[in-house]
Amino acid sequence: MLINEIREFLNDYFDVLQTQDMALFDRVFHKACVLYSQQDGALVVRPFAAYREMVQGREAPAVGNFPRSEELLMLDVLSPSMATVKVRLRLFNNIMEDHLNLMKHEGRWMVYAKHFYRIGTA
């Protein structure tokens, strides 16, 4: 059951990235969430508010009819309320790999930290 809950949550996560439904965004990402990456050798740190503004300000991949491709690569349940997942997805013409730290709080799963990296192009 716990694994099924996390898989259902990931469907919302993937939908947010493709549709940029901001109400769903607020249900997927906790307000204290921080995103981390390295791009061209530079550290990128995006707090929730900066990431939300970036997502809200761009055209959704679904609008551009970009194909979807999403897969769960790893799921590690740490406790009944904590898990780590690794996913690969297409976002626009990029192939991304995301490591998500999830916690279940007040009855629902949310992303509390995200490490992401563009591993290639589609």
Side-chain angles (χ1 to χ4, degrees), residues 27-40:
R27 291 189 50 80
V28 167
F29 291 94
H30 189 272
K31 290 184 192 296
C33 178
V34 179
L35 290 78
Y36 303 92
S37 186
Q38 286 192 338
Q39 298 172 1
D40 301 320

Side-chain angles (χ1 to χ4, degrees), residues 72-91:
L72 173 61
L73 302 175
M74 185 268 304
L75 190 156
D76 185 14
V77 176
L78 303 171
S79 76
S81 61
M82 296 171 55
T84 301
V85 298
K86 178 180 176 181
V87 297
R88 183 175 295 145
L89 66 139
R90 178 175 176 163
L91 188 61

Side-chain angles (χ1 to χ4, degrees), residues 14 17-18 69-70 87-91 94-96 98:
F14 292 135
L17 296 180
Q18 297 299 325
S69 176
E70 300 138 355
V87 297
R88 183 175 295 145
L89 66 139
R90 178 175 176 163
L91 188 61
N94 300 309
I95 305 299
M96 306 298 294
D98 299 345

